[in-house]
């Protein structure tokens, strides 16, 4: 009898969960029947899923796609990998949780529109984000790193080996932020699972390397703490494209134009993005945007990344000199060891940080550089820009630098998000390491952290 009651309760509960999930999914007019991905997901920028950059992963998170990678000749063998990785999917930061709560309160209090799903937001959706979540890693973020570790074992079977892990030739380095430390731990779990071993492998916390931007005085003063550094973002948020998005939002909710700000539309956009990335939900918030609105929101986000972390200001990329030198110092060491007794001390180095760790470094390498800078006035003409933060630094974004020993010498391959990149100015996709060093000679001989980050007293 008791067994029967418990079975019935479980059955009812299970169906409630499934119905709720199906209900939430069916709320959006933009749903895809199979996995219910919001149609605007590709515009989520740095709040986007890794699987939406590499869509083949949607059907299998351990898949690797060889057609996206250029390898040197089969006579070459991999001798080293450095992987610089952004943490996995996370909760919103407190600042954004507060904006999301304010917008939710406004919708519940004032919205009268009859848009599909507005009543669902008001009667069903609950504001479940709390301030203490503050950018912490979510379960999906742990899975991002576990799966990435397992895919890297498939990509580099001769480097990510039990022998290299057991003998200290695999190193883990992380930023001190909880989302990065926990991502690194998840990566380690993925490694152990993929190799079917249990070994102690303690990550080293190194903020000087993984959060170099905090320690670069010039960057902090001239960009991070200087409102005018993001003037173009402000102008865009006050410009005609964003105004139109705000007006359309006010029309949909049937609230006065004055009650919708750029912060409100950003909060609504984040609600759509976070509900999807954290819980796989194509939530009713996504219906508050059409595709053009989402493109405008994406551009606003890209402008922030461009002016705060990329080509907008020279110091943004220069602040990463320390990470640049750390990388090349390690690569030089590998080459030197190969040229002496061939005994390598570091086969794989994994460094876990932030979007703001990766983007400045990619910028320093001159990657993803459009001919015309991104500005508040060129949204329309930048439609086909290369600088799209969603493609470059989604959650778990990764820069993979690989050294190969070939009969003709050492070669270097670079992949971003598991796709080969050709370094600008070098025609060969897997060039000789010496040619890479020639290409970046100016940086290798200069780009001194102390000098570039020192404030010019005059
Ligand atoms: O807009 P939020 O508060 O999410 O900005 C975050 C950064 O996230 P991003 O702009 O890259 O989406 C966060 O970078 P992450 O790689 O760790 O996610 C950054 O560390 C954090 O300081 C926030 O920056 P902000 O200065 O508060 O805008």
């Amino acid at each position: 009898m008791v067994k029967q009651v418990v079975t019935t309760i479980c059955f009812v509960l299970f169906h409630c969960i499934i119905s709720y999930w199906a209900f939430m999914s069916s709320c959006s007019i933009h749903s895809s029947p199979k996995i219910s991905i919001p149609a605007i997901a590709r515009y989520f920028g740095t709040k986007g899923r890794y699987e939406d950059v590499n869509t083949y992963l949607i059907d299998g998170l351990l898949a690797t796609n060889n057609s996206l990678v250029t390898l040197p000749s089969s006579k070459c063998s991999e001798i080293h990998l450095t992987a610089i990785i952004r943490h996995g999917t996370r909760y919103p930061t407190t600042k954004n949780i507060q904006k999301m709560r304010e917008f939710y309160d406004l919708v519940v209090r004032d919205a009268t529109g009859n848009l599909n799903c507005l009543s669902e937001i008001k009667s069903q959706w609950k504001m479940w984000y709390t301030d203490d979540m503050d950018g912490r890693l979510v379960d999906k973020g742990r899975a991002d790193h576990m799966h990435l570790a397992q895919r890297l074992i498939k990509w580099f079977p001769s480097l990510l080996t039990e022998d290299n892990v057991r003998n200290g030739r695999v190193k883990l380095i992380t930023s001190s932020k909880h989302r990065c430390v926990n991502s690194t731990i998840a990566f380690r779990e993925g490694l152990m699972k993929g190799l079917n071993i249990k070994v102690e492998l303690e990550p080293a916390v190194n903020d000087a390397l993984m959060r170099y931007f905090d320690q670069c005085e010039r960057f902090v003063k001239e960009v991070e703490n200087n409102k005018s550094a993001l003037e173009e973002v402000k102008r865009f948020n006050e410009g005609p494209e964003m105004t139109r998005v705000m007006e359309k939002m006010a029309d949909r909710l049937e609230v006065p134009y004055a009650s919708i700000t750029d912060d409100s539309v950003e909060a609504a956009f984040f609600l759509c993005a976070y509900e999807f990335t954290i819980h796989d939900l194509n939530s009713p918030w996504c219906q508050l945007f059409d595709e053009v609105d989402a493109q405008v929101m994406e551009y606003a986000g890209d402008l922030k990344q461009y002016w705060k972390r990329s080509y907008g200001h020279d110091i943004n990329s220069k602040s990463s000199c320390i990470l640049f030198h750390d990388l090349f110092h390690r690569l030089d060491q590998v080459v030197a060891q190969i040229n002496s007794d061939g005994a390598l001390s570091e086969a794989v180095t994994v460094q876990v940080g932030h979007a703001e760790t990766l983007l400045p470094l990619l910028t320093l390498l001159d990657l993803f550089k459009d001919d015309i800078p991104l500005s508040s006035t060129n949204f329309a003409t930048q439609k086909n820009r290369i600088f799209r933060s969603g493609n470059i630094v989604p959650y778990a974004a990764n820069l993979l630098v690989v050294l190969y020993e070939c009969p003709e010498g050492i070669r270097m391959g670079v992949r971003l998000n598991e796709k080969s990149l050709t370094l600008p100015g070098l025609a060969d996709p897997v060039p000789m390491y010496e040619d890479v060093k020639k290409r970046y000679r100016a940086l290798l001989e200069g780009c001194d952290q102390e000098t570039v980050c020192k404030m010019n007293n005059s």
Side-chain angles (χ1 to χ4, degrees):
M1 176 65 180
V2 176
K3 202 177 158 197
Q4 222 174 3
V5 173
V6 172
T7 314
T8 313
I9 292 173
C10 288
F11 180 81
V12 170
L13 260 176
F14 174 75
H15 277 270
C16 282
I17 293 166
I18 294 294
S19 317
Y20 175 73
W21 180 83
F23 161 74
M24 294 299 281
S25 309
S26 68
C27 269
S28 175
I29 47 169
H30 302 301
S31 61
S32 120
K34 203 172 137 210
I35 32 177
S36 196
I37 299 175
I40 59 173
R42 82 187 92 146
Y43 303 114
F44 288 161
T46 56
K47 271 77 175 169
R49 291 196 314 178
Y50 190 75
E51 299 89 294
D52 293 310
V53 175
N54 284 326
T55 50
Y56 60 87
L57 292 173
I58 291 171
D59 292 326
L61 286 161
L62 298 183
T64 50
N65 188 343
N66 288 298
S67 68
L68 301 172
V69 168
T70 311
L71 295 171
S73 91
S74 56
K75 292 186 186 125
C76 303
S77 53
E78 297 143 3
I79 49 169
H80 175 80
L81 163 71
T82 288
I84 306 176
I85 313 175
R86 187 187 179 201
H87 57 77
T89 308
R90 62 163 171 82
Y91 287 118
T93 51
T94 303
K95 174 191 72 185
N96 285 332
I97 291 174
Q98 286 162 356
K99 287 186 195 174
M100 285 152 62
R101 186 179 301 118
E102 266 172 47
F103 183 68
Y104 168 69
D105 289 344
L106 178 136
V107 171
V108 171
R109 194 183 54 237
D110 301 335
T112 55
N114 59 2
L115 180 80
N116 208 4
C117 283
L118 196 52
S119 62
E120 284 88 343
I121 291 178
K122 294 174 89 170
S123 61
Q124 307 281 334
W125 197 84
K126 291 280 166 282
M127 178 63 198
W128 62 273
Y129 299 93
T130 50
D131 290 1
D132 58 344
M133 290 173 174
D134 194 19
R136 286 178 182 272
L137 196 71
V138 299
D139 286 346
K140 168 72 169 74
R142 274 176 264 279
D144 291 338
H145 271 251
M146 276 194 70
H147 292 133
L148 177 61
Q150 288 170 269
R151 291 197 302 277
L152 291 187
I153 294 174
K154 280 171 95 179
W155 280 122
F156 305 103
S158 64
L159 295 178
L160 280 165
T161 61
E162 175 172 354
D163 186 47
N164 279 339
V165 174
R166 283 195 189 281
N167 291 296
R169 289 189 291 266
V170 174
K171 302 225 159 66
L172 304 179
I173 300 168
T174 176
S175 128
S176 65
K177 283 272 169 180
H178 33 61
R179 56 182 171 275
C180 297
V181 174
N182 289 335
S183 294
T184 313
I185 290 170
F187 187 94
R188 182 180 63 189
E189 266 173 49
L191 214 51
M192 300 300 167
K193 191 172 177 205
L195 295 173
N196 200 15
I197 52 169
K198 243 186 162 70
V199 178
E200 282 206 5
L201 181 57
E202 267 316 295
V205 172
N206 188 339
D207 279 347
L209 268 186
M210 306 320 293
R211 293 186 59 81
Y212 53 76
F213 39 86
D214 279 344
Q215 308 187 8
C216 182
E217 189 192 1
R218 191 157 158 228
F219 170 75
V220 172
K221 290 208 169 130
E222 292 184 357
V223 180
E224 183 78 39
N225 293 340
N226 175 9
K227 279 193 176 161
S228 68
L230 299 191
E231 190 59 31
E232 286 303 304
V233 182
K234 185 169 172 270
R235 283 196 191 137
F236 185 71
N237 285 343
E238 294 167 352
E241 292 91 355
M242 189 59 85
T243 304
R244 190 68 201 116
V245 175
M246 286 160 25
E247 287 171 355
K248 281 158 78 181
M249 174 77 72
D251 289 342
R252 286 177 185 128
L253 302 179
E254 291 184 14
V255 296
Y257 283 176
S259 55
I260 299 296
T261 63
D262 55 325
D263 274 350
S264 339
V265 288
E266 187 186 55
F269 194 63
F270 286 165
L271 277 162
C272 167
Y274 281 112
E275 289 290 280
F276 177 59
T277 54
I278 298 174
H279 283 148
D280 263 350
L281 288 175
N282 189 343
S283 81
W285 295 103
C286 302
Q287 275 198 52
L288 297 175
F289 297 90
D290 62 28
E291 186 160 13
V292 177
D293 300 334
Q295 287 168 347
V296 173
M297 300 309 296
E298 181 201 24
Y299 195 67
D302 285 355
L303 274 181
K304 170 186 160 188
Q305 302 300 329
Y306 188 90
W307 290 91
K308 199 170 172 180
R309 296 165 182 170
S310 188
Y311 295 102
H313 301 286
D314 195 45
I315 187 61
N316 297 350
S317 58
K318 290 283 167 59
S319 67
S320 72
C321 285
I322 186 168
L323 188 59
F324 172 87
H325 279 297
D326 171 75
L327 170 67
F328 277 91
H329 175 72
R330 188 178 315 107
L331 301 181
D332 278 350
Q333 219 168 24
V334 171
V335 174
Q337 288 175 346
I338 285 288
N339 290 338
S340 58
D341 59 356
L344 293 175
S345 55
E346 229 165 317
V348 179
T349 303
V350 175
Q351 302 181 312
V352 180
H354 306 261
E356 66 220 283
T357 309
L358 262 173
L359 250 189
L361 181 66
L362 296 170
T363 306
L364 196 67
L365 297 174
D366 274 336
L367 290 158
F368 304 103
K369 188 175 190 174
D370 291 287
D371 293 338
I372 299 167
L374 273 65
S375 78
S376 55
T377 53
N378 60 12
F379 165 73
T381 53
Q382 287 287 22
K383 232 181 169 152
N384 297 318
R385 64 189 178 281
I386 323 170
F387 192 86
R388 279 212 138 78
S389 61
N391 290 341
I392 308 170
V393 275
Y395 296 122
N398 51 84
L399 175 70
L400 308 177
V401 179
V402 194
L403 286 184
Y404 301 91
E405 187 180 15
C406 304
E408 66 278 21
I410 306 289
R411 289 187 175 272
M412 183 175 128
V414 180
R415 303 177 201 175
L416 185 74
N417 303 331
E418 299 169 77
K419 285 180 217 130
S420 282
L421 281 180
T422 301
L423 293 168
L426 289 169
D428 192 336
V430 193
M432 298 298 292
Y433 180 57
E434 281 313 309
D435 291 337
V436 178
K437 289 185 66 173
K438 267 186 218 148
R439 160 68 178 84
Y440 293 110
R441 182 183 288 151
L443 291 174
L444 286 166
E445 288 173 0
C447 200
D448 168 56
Q449 155 100 353
E450 273 206 19
T451 318
V452 296
C453 291
K454 203 159 69 195
M455 285 301 286
N456 188 342
N457 289 332
S458 65

